[in-house]
Amino acid sequence: MERLEIEMFANEILSRLPTKCVARLRCVSKQWRCELSSHLFAIIHYRRMAKYEDRKLITLTKSSIDIHNLIRGKVDISSRKTISFPVDTSLSNLTIFASQYGLLLMCIQFLPNELILWNPTTNQFLNLCDKKPKHYFDLKKDAVGIYIDSSNDVKILLLQRRMDDVVPCVYSRNTCEWKTLTFLKEPDYGSSLYWLSSGTLCNNVLYFPSPHYWTPAKSFTIAFDVDSETFLKVSIPQCTDVIGRQSSFFQNPQHTSYVYCWKHP
């Protein structure tokens, strides 16, 4: 009964406090630290804080990682704060793929590459690669996406291209385990995919564009429904410019820095 009362007090009352106050309250006792560090509390706290437009802009360059406040859609230059990355590596080795609920999904380009889930607010991180070939991340061949399922579980979708096969795996933050899904049955996906490294989440669907630069008509998108955990191939309509030449919707940008906007939990 006491545990239930503390859980209700945390989720209904303490979840309305700013992040820094919550961090201090974790030092009250082991029980409070446990409750305020739970995944459920993190989700509730994030949703409450999101109403106050407490947005942050994080920029990643080869020299620094900076955070700025966003006030009514404008960057507050005076609020700049430089933070450190929790893993000892050169910033030029880092790539940001996506963000969700104040968490950043990143890659450390090294041998082997490491897939990192990082909370810039608390500076805590989780290495999703267990050094085994089964969950090894290849920046040039694989694709990843992050989403929240119907049970408020943060999940990572990893699409591994190995030889002529595509092996989809999902990591659950609640269970801290990977599970393998079933990919599309059509042959040669592994050898024909030219997808970008990160998926785009829209209306509970993760989209992975697979542009074919030399033959735009062969371009398509892999769609992943996060509720049913199923895949679908979506054709991409081609566009024609004013002089009648066919062009593709995709380009290959050369990134020198990464900019992400997120609400800290």
Side-chain angles (χ1 to χ4, degrees), residues 29-73:
S29 67
K30 291 183 178 180
Q31 191 169 15
W32 277 46
R33 182 177 183 84
C34 179
E35 292 296 337
L36 298 181
S37 300
S38 69
H39 178 67
L40 176 60
F41 177 83
I43 296 296
I44 295 176
H45 184 258
Y46 174 86
R47 288 178 173 172
R48 293 194 191 282
M49 293 298 102
K51 298 179 181 179
Y52 299 101
E53 298 184 355
D54 190 11
R55 294 179 179 270
K56 303 288 184 179
L57 179 75
I58 184 168
T59 59
L60 167 62
T61 66
K62 294 182 179 180
S63 59
S64 66
I65 303 177
D66 299 322
I67 294 180
H68 295 84
N69 292 331
L70 282 180
I71 302 177
R72 298 177 181 175

Short mmCIF file of all heavy atoms in Angstrom, two decimals, residues 29-73:
data_model
loop_
_atom_site.label_atom_id
_atom_site.label_comp_id
_atom_site.label_asym_id
_atom_site.label_seq_id
_atom_site.Cartn_x
_atom_site.Cartn_y
_atom_site.Cartn_z
N SER A 29 15.68 9.42 -0.98
CA SER A 29 15.79 8.04 -0.49
C SER A 29 15.92 7.09 -1.67
O SER A 29 15.71 7.48 -2.83
CB SER A 29 14.56 7.66 0.35
OG SER A 29 13.40 7.61 -0.48
N LYS A 30 16.24 5.85 -1.39
CA LYS A 30 16.35 4.84 -2.44
C LYS A 30 15.00 4.60 -3.12
O LYS A 30 14.93 4.39 -4.33
CB LYS A 30 16.88 3.53 -1.87
CG LYS A 30 18.33 3.59 -1.43
CD LYS A 30 18.81 2.23 -0.93
CE LYS A 30 20.28 2.29 -0.54
NZ LYS A 30 20.76 0.97 -0.04
N GLN A 31 13.94 4.66 -2.33
CA GLN A 31 12.60 4.41 -2.87
C GLN A 31 12.19 5.55 -3.81
O GLN A 31 11.62 5.32 -4.87
CB GLN A 31 11.59 4.26 -1.74
CG GLN A 31 10.23 3.75 -2.21
CD GLN A 31 9.33 3.37 -1.07
OE1 GLN A 31 9.59 3.72 0.08
NE2 GLN A 31 8.26 2.65 -1.37
N TRP A 32 12.47 6.78 -3.40
CA TRP A 32 12.16 7.92 -4.26
C TRP A 32 13.00 7.86 -5.53
O TRP A 32 12.51 8.16 -6.62
CB TRP A 32 12.42 9.23 -3.51
CG TRP A 32 11.28 9.64 -2.63
CD1 TRP A 32 10.58 8.83 -1.78
CD2 TRP A 32 10.70 10.94 -2.53
NE1 TRP A 32 9.61 9.55 -1.14
CE2 TRP A 32 9.66 10.84 -1.57
CE3 TRP A 32 10.97 12.15 -3.11
CZ2 TRP A 32 8.88 11.94 -1.21
CZ3 TRP A 32 10.20 13.26 -2.75
CH2 TRP A 32 9.16 13.15 -1.82
N ARG A 33 14.25 7.50 -5.41
CA ARG A 33 15.11 7.40 -6.59
C ARG A 33 14.57 6.35 -7.56
O ARG A 33 14.57 6.54 -8.77
CB ARG A 33 16.54 7.03 -6.17
CG ARG A 33 17.50 6.95 -7.35
CD ARG A 33 18.92 6.65 -6.88
NE ARG A 33 19.84 6.64 -8.00
CZ ARG A 33 20.41 7.71 -8.52
NH1 ARG A 33 20.16 8.89 -7.99
NH2 ARG A 33 21.23 7.62 -9.55
N CYS A 34 14.09 5.25 -7.01
CA CYS A 34 13.52 4.18 -7.85
C CYS A 34 12.28 4.66 -8.58
O CYS A 34 12.13 4.44 -9.79
CB CYS A 34 13.21 2.97 -6.98
SG CYS A 34 12.48 1.58 -7.89
N GLU A 35 11.38 5.33 -7.87
CA GLU A 35 10.13 5.80 -8.47
C GLU A 35 10.38 6.89 -9.51
O GLU A 35 9.80 6.89 -10.60
CB GLU A 35 9.17 6.32 -7.40
CG GLU A 35 8.62 5.26 -6.46
CD GLU A 35 7.77 4.24 -7.17
OE1 GLU A 35 7.25 4.56 -8.26
OE2 GLU A 35 7.61 3.13 -6.65
N LEU A 36 11.27 7.84 -9.19
CA LEU A 36 11.52 8.96 -10.09
C LEU A 36 12.43 8.59 -11.26
O LEU A 36 12.64 9.41 -12.16
CB LEU A 36 12.13 10.13 -9.30
CG LEU A 36 11.26 10.70 -8.19
CD1 LEU A 36 11.95 11.86 -7.50
CD2 LEU A 36 9.90 11.14 -8.71
N SER A 37 12.96 7.38 -11.24
CA SER A 37 13.80 6.91 -12.35
C SER A 37 13.08 5.90 -13.22
O SER A 37 13.66 5.38 -14.19
CB SER A 37 15.09 6.27 -11.80
OG SER A 37 15.83 7.20 -11.03
N SER A 38 11.83 5.62 -12.89
CA SER A 38 11.08 4.61 -13.64
C SER A 38 10.71 5.13 -15.03
O SER A 38 10.60 6.34 -15.26
CB SER A 38 9.80 4.22 -12.89
OG SER A 38 8.88 5.29 -12.87
N HIS A 39 10.50 4.19 -15.95
CA HIS A 39 10.13 4.55 -17.32
C HIS A 39 8.77 5.22 -17.35
O HIS A 39 8.56 6.20 -18.09
CB HIS A 39 10.13 3.29 -18.18
CG HIS A 39 9.72 3.54 -19.60
ND1 HIS A 39 10.49 4.28 -20.48
CD2 HIS A 39 8.60 3.17 -20.30
CE1 HIS A 39 9.88 4.35 -21.65
NE2 HIS A 39 8.75 3.69 -21.56
N LEU A 40 7.82 4.75 -16.54
CA LEU A 40 6.48 5.34 -16.51
C LEU A 40 6.54 6.79 -16.05
O LEU A 40 5.89 7.67 -16.64
CB LEU A 40 5.57 4.53 -15.57
CG LEU A 40 4.16 5.09 -15.37
CD1 LEU A 40 3.42 5.15 -16.70
CD2 LEU A 40 3.39 4.23 -14.36
N PHE A 41 7.31 7.08 -15.00
CA PHE A 41 7.41 8.46 -14.52
C PHE A 41 8.04 9.35 -15.59
O PHE A 41 7.61 10.49 -15.78
CB PHE A 41 8.24 8.52 -13.24
CG PHE A 41 8.44 9.92 -12.73
CD1 PHE A 41 7.47 10.53 -11.96
CD2 PHE A 41 9.59 10.63 -13.04
CE1 PHE A 41 7.64 11.84 -11.51
CE2 PHE A 41 9.78 11.93 -12.60
CZ PHE A 41 8.79 12.54 -11.83
N ALA A 42 9.04 8.83 -16.30
CA ALA A 42 9.70 9.62 -17.34
C ALA A 42 8.72 10.02 -18.43
O ALA A 42 8.73 11.16 -18.91
CB ALA A 42 10.86 8.82 -17.94
N ILE A 43 7.85 9.10 -18.84
CA ILE A 43 6.85 9.39 -19.88
C ILE A 43 5.85 10.44 -19.39
O ILE A 43 5.55 11.41 -20.09
CB ILE A 43 6.12 8.11 -20.29
CG1 ILE A 43 7.09 7.12 -20.94
CG2 ILE A 43 4.97 8.43 -21.24
CD1 ILE A 43 7.70 7.59 -22.22
N ILE A 44 5.34 10.25 -18.15
CA ILE A 44 4.36 11.19 -17.60
C ILE A 44 4.98 12.58 -17.44
O ILE A 44 4.37 13.60 -17.80
CB ILE A 44 3.83 10.68 -16.24
CG1 ILE A 44 3.06 9.37 -16.43
CG2 ILE A 44 2.95 11.73 -15.58
CD1 ILE A 44 2.59 8.74 -15.13
N HIS A 45 6.19 12.63 -16.93
CA HIS A 45 6.88 13.90 -16.72
C HIS A 45 7.13 14.62 -18.04
O HIS A 45 6.93 15.84 -18.16
CB HIS A 45 8.19 13.67 -15.97
CG HIS A 45 8.91 14.92 -15.63
ND1 HIS A 45 10.00 15.38 -16.35
CD2 HIS A 45 8.69 15.86 -14.66
CE1 HIS A 45 10.44 16.50 -15.83
NE2 HIS A 45 9.67 16.83 -14.81
N TYR A 46 7.54 13.87 -19.04
CA TYR A 46 7.80 14.48 -20.35
C TYR A 46 6.53 15.09 -20.92
O TYR A 46 6.55 16.22 -21.44
CB TYR A 46 8.35 13.43 -21.31
CG TYR A 46 8.50 13.94 -22.73
CD1 TYR A 46 9.65 14.61 -23.13
CD2 TYR A 46 7.47 13.78 -23.65
CE1 TYR A 46 9.79 15.09 -24.40
CE2 TYR A 46 7.60 14.27 -24.95
CZ TYR A 46 8.76 14.93 -25.31
OH TYR A 46 8.87 15.40 -26.59
N ARG A 47 5.41 14.37 -20.85
CA ARG A 47 4.16 14.86 -21.42
C ARG A 47 3.67 16.12 -20.70
O ARG A 47 3.12 17.02 -21.32
CB ARG A 47 3.11 13.76 -21.38
CG ARG A 47 3.39 12.65 -22.39
CD ARG A 47 2.38 11.55 -22.31
NE ARG A 47 2.56 10.59 -23.39
CZ ARG A 47 1.91 9.45 -23.49
NH1 ARG A 47 1.02 9.11 -22.56
NH2 ARG A 47 2.13 8.63 -24.50
N ARG A 48 3.88 16.17 -19.39
CA ARG A 48 3.46 17.37 -18.65
C ARG A 48 4.35 18.56 -19.01
O ARG A 48 3.87 19.67 -19.22
CB ARG A 48 3.52 17.10 -17.15
CG ARG A 48 2.50 16.07 -16.66
CD ARG A 48 2.40 16.11 -15.15
NE ARG A 48 1.64 15.01 -14.60
CZ ARG A 48 0.32 14.93 -14.59
NH1 ARG A 48 -0.39 15.91 -15.12
NH2 ARG A 48 -0.30 13.88 -14.07
N MET A 49 5.65 18.34 -19.09
CA MET A 49 6.58 19.42 -19.40
C MET A 49 6.42 19.92 -20.84
O MET A 49 6.69 21.08 -21.13
CB MET A 49 8.02 18.97 -19.17
CG MET A 49 8.38 18.70 -17.72
SD MET A 49 8.23 20.17 -16.66
CE MET A 49 6.64 19.84 -15.84
N ALA A 50 5.97 19.03 -21.74
CA ALA A 50 5.82 19.41 -23.14
C ALA A 50 4.78 20.51 -23.34
O ALA A 50 4.82 21.25 -24.32
CB ALA A 50 5.44 18.19 -23.98
N LYS A 51 3.87 20.66 -22.38
CA LYS A 51 2.82 21.67 -22.50
C LYS A 51 3.36 23.08 -22.30
O LYS A 51 2.71 24.06 -22.67
CB LYS A 51 1.72 21.39 -21.46
CG LYS A 51 1.01 20.06 -21.66
CD LYS A 51 -0.03 19.84 -20.58
CE LYS A 51 -0.74 18.50 -20.76
NZ LYS A 51 -1.76 18.28 -19.69
N TYR A 52 4.53 23.20 -21.74
CA TYR A 52 5.07 24.52 -21.41
C TYR A 52 6.04 25.04 -22.46
O TYR A 52 6.74 26.03 -22.23
CB TYR A 52 5.76 24.47 -20.05
CG TYR A 52 4.82 24.10 -18.93
CD1 TYR A 52 4.79 22.80 -18.43
CD2 TYR A 52 3.94 25.03 -18.40
CE1 TYR A 52 3.92 22.44 -17.41
CE2 TYR A 52 3.06 24.70 -17.38
CZ TYR A 52 3.06 23.39 -16.89
OH TYR A 52 2.18 23.05 -15.89
N GLU A 53 6.10 24.37 -23.61
CA GLU A 53 6.94 24.78 -24.73
C GLU A 53 8.40 24.95 -24.30
O GLU A 53 9.09 25.87 -24.74
CB GLU A 53 6.42 26.09 -25.34
CG GLU A 53 5.01 25.96 -25.91
CD GLU A 53 4.56 27.23 -26.59
OE1 GLU A 53 5.30 28.23 -26.52
OE2 GLU A 53 3.50 27.23 -27.20
N ASP A 54 8.85 24.09 -23.40
CA ASP A 54 10.23 24.15 -22.93
C ASP A 54 11.10 23.37 -23.93
O ASP A 54 11.55 22.27 -23.66
CB ASP A 54 10.34 23.54 -21.54
CG ASP A 54 11.71 23.79 -20.92
OD1 ASP A 54 12.45 24.60 -21.49
OD2 ASP A 54 12.01 23.17 -19.89
N ARG A 55 11.33 23.98 -25.07
CA ARG A 55 12.06 23.32 -26.14
C ARG A 55 13.53 23.70 -26.12
O ARG A 55 13.91 24.79 -25.71
CB ARG A 55 11.45 23.66 -27.50
CG ARG A 55 10.04 23.11 -27.69
CD ARG A 55 9.49 23.50 -29.03
NE ARG A 55 8.15 22.97 -29.24
CZ ARG A 55 7.89 21.80 -29.79
NH1 ARG A 55 8.89 21.04 -30.20
NH2 ARG A 55 6.66 21.37 -29.95
N LYS A 56 14.33 22.76 -26.58
CA LYS A 56 15.76 22.99 -26.67
C LYS A 56 16.23 22.69 -28.09
O LYS A 56 15.67 21.86 -28.78
CB LYS A 56 16.52 22.07 -25.70
CG LYS A 56 16.10 22.18 -24.24
CD LYS A 56 16.57 23.47 -23.61
CE LYS A 56 16.23 23.51 -22.13
NZ LYS A 56 16.70 24.75 -21.47
N LEU A 57 17.28 23.40 -28.47
CA LEU A 57 17.91 23.16 -29.75
C LEU A 57 19.33 22.67 -29.49
O LEU A 57 20.10 23.34 -28.79
CB LEU A 57 17.95 24.44 -30.59
CG LEU A 57 18.62 24.31 -31.96
CD1 LEU A 57 17.69 23.58 -32.92
CD2 LEU A 57 18.99 25.67 -32.53
N ILE A 58 19.67 21.50 -30.00
CA ILE A 58 21.00 20.96 -29.80
C ILE A 58 21.73 20.93 -31.14
O ILE A 58 21.17 20.52 -32.15
CB ILE A 58 20.95 19.54 -29.18
CG1 ILE A 58 22.38 19.04 -28.89
CG2 ILE A 58 20.20 18.56 -30.04
CD1 ILE A 58 22.41 17.79 -28.03
N THR A 59 22.94 21.44 -31.14
CA THR A 59 23.75 21.45 -32.35
C THR A 59 25.02 20.64 -32.11
O THR A 59 25.67 20.78 -31.07
CB THR A 59 24.13 22.88 -32.76
OG1 THR A 59 24.86 23.50 -31.70
CG2 THR A 59 22.88 23.70 -33.07
N LEU A 60 25.33 19.82 -33.08
CA LEU A 60 26.52 18.98 -33.00
C LEU A 60 27.45 19.33 -34.15
O LEU A 60 27.09 19.23 -35.32
CB LEU A 60 26.13 17.49 -33.07
CG LEU A 60 27.26 16.49 -33.31
CD1 LEU A 60 28.27 16.53 -32.16
CD2 LEU A 60 26.70 15.09 -33.50
N THR A 61 28.64 19.78 -33.80
CA THR A 61 29.67 20.07 -34.80
C THR A 61 30.91 19.26 -34.45
O THR A 61 30.92 18.50 -33.47
CB THR A 61 30.01 21.57 -34.84
OG1 THR A 61 30.63 21.94 -33.60
CG2 THR A 61 28.75 22.40 -35.05
N LYS A 62 31.95 19.45 -35.22
CA LYS A 62 33.19 18.71 -34.96
C LYS A 62 33.92 19.23 -33.73
O LYS A 62 34.83 18.56 -33.22
CB LYS A 62 34.11 18.80 -36.18
CG LYS A 62 33.57 18.09 -37.41
CD LYS A 62 34.55 18.17 -38.57
CE LYS A 62 34.00 17.43 -39.79
NZ LYS A 62 34.93 17.50 -40.95
N SER A 63 33.52 20.40 -33.24
CA SER A 63 34.23 21.00 -32.11
C SER A 63 33.43 21.06 -30.81
O SER A 63 34.02 21.13 -29.73
CB SER A 63 34.69 22.42 -32.46
OG SER A 63 33.57 23.23 -32.82
N SER A 64 32.09 21.01 -30.89
CA SER A 64 31.31 21.15 -29.65
C SER A 64 29.88 20.64 -29.82
O SER A 64 29.38 20.50 -30.94
CB SER A 64 31.28 22.60 -29.19
OG SER A 64 30.56 23.40 -30.12
N ILE A 65 29.24 20.40 -28.67
CA ILE A 65 27.81 20.10 -28.61
C ILE A 65 27.18 21.21 -27.79
O ILE A 65 27.49 21.37 -26.61
CB ILE A 65 27.53 18.73 -27.95
CG1 ILE A 65 28.26 17.61 -28.69
CG2 ILE A 65 26.03 18.45 -27.92
CD1 ILE A 65 28.08 16.25 -28.06
N ASP A 66 26.31 21.99 -28.42
CA ASP A 66 25.73 23.16 -27.76
C ASP A 66 24.21 23.02 -27.66
O ASP A 66 23.56 22.45 -28.54
CB ASP A 66 26.06 24.44 -28.53
CG ASP A 66 27.57 24.67 -28.61
OD1 ASP A 66 28.25 24.40 -27.61
OD2 ASP A 66 28.03 25.13 -29.67
N ILE A 67 23.67 23.57 -26.58
CA ILE A 67 22.23 23.59 -26.35
C ILE A 67 21.76 25.02 -26.22
O ILE A 67 22.37 25.84 -25.52
CB ILE A 67 21.85 22.80 -25.08
CG1 ILE A 67 22.16 21.31 -25.26
CG2 ILE A 67 20.38 22.97 -24.76
CD1 ILE A 67 21.82 20.48 -24.04
N HIS A 68 20.66 25.35 -26.92
CA HIS A 68 20.05 26.68 -26.84
C HIS A 68 18.57 26.52 -26.48
O HIS A 68 17.94 25.52 -26.83
CB HIS A 68 20.15 27.43 -28.17
CG HIS A 68 21.55 27.75 -28.59
ND1 HIS A 68 22.34 26.85 -29.27
CD2 HIS A 68 22.29 28.87 -28.44
CE1 HIS A 68 23.51 27.40 -29.52
NE2 HIS A 68 23.52 28.62 -29.04
N ASN A 69 18.04 27.52 -25.81
CA ASN A 69 16.60 27.56 -25.56
C ASN A 69 15.88 28.07 -26.80
O ASN A 69 16.39 28.94 -27.52
CB ASN A 69 16.28 28.48 -24.39
CG ASN A 69 16.78 27.92 -23.07
OD1 ASN A 69 16.87 26.71 -22.90
ND2 ASN A 69 17.11 28.79 -22.14
N LEU A 70 14.69 27.52 -27.04
CA LEU A 70 13.83 28.01 -28.11
C LEU A 70 12.65 28.73 -27.47
O LEU A 70 11.87 28.12 -26.74
CB LEU A 70 13.34 26.86 -28.99
CG LEU A 70 14.32 26.30 -30.02
CD1 LEU A 70 13.66 25.18 -30.80
CD2 LEU A 70 14.78 27.39 -30.97
N ILE A 71 12.54 30.02 -27.74
CA ILE A 71 11.45 30.81 -27.17
C ILE A 71 10.56 31.29 -28.31
O ILE A 71 10.98 32.08 -29.15
CB ILE A 71 12.01 32.01 -26.37
CG1 ILE A 71 12.93 31.51 -25.25
CG2 ILE A 71 10.87 32.83 -25.81
CD1 ILE A 71 13.59 32.62 -24.47
N ARG A 72 9.34 30.78 -28.34
CA ARG A 72 8.37 31.13 -29.39
C ARG A 72 8.95 30.92 -30.78
O ARG A 72 8.79 31.74 -31.68
CB ARG A 72 7.90 32.57 -29.21
CG ARG A 72 7.17 32.81 -27.90
CD ARG A 72 6.78 34.27 -27.72
NE ARG A 72 6.11 34.48 -26.45
CZ ARG A 72 5.74 35.68 -26.00
NH1 ARG A 72 5.99 36.76 -26.74
NH2 ARG A 72 5.15 35.79 -24.83
N GLY A 73 9.67 29.82 -30.93
CA GLY A 73 10.20 29.46 -32.23
C GLY A 73 11.51 30.11 -32.59
O GLY A 73 12.06 29.85 -33.67
#
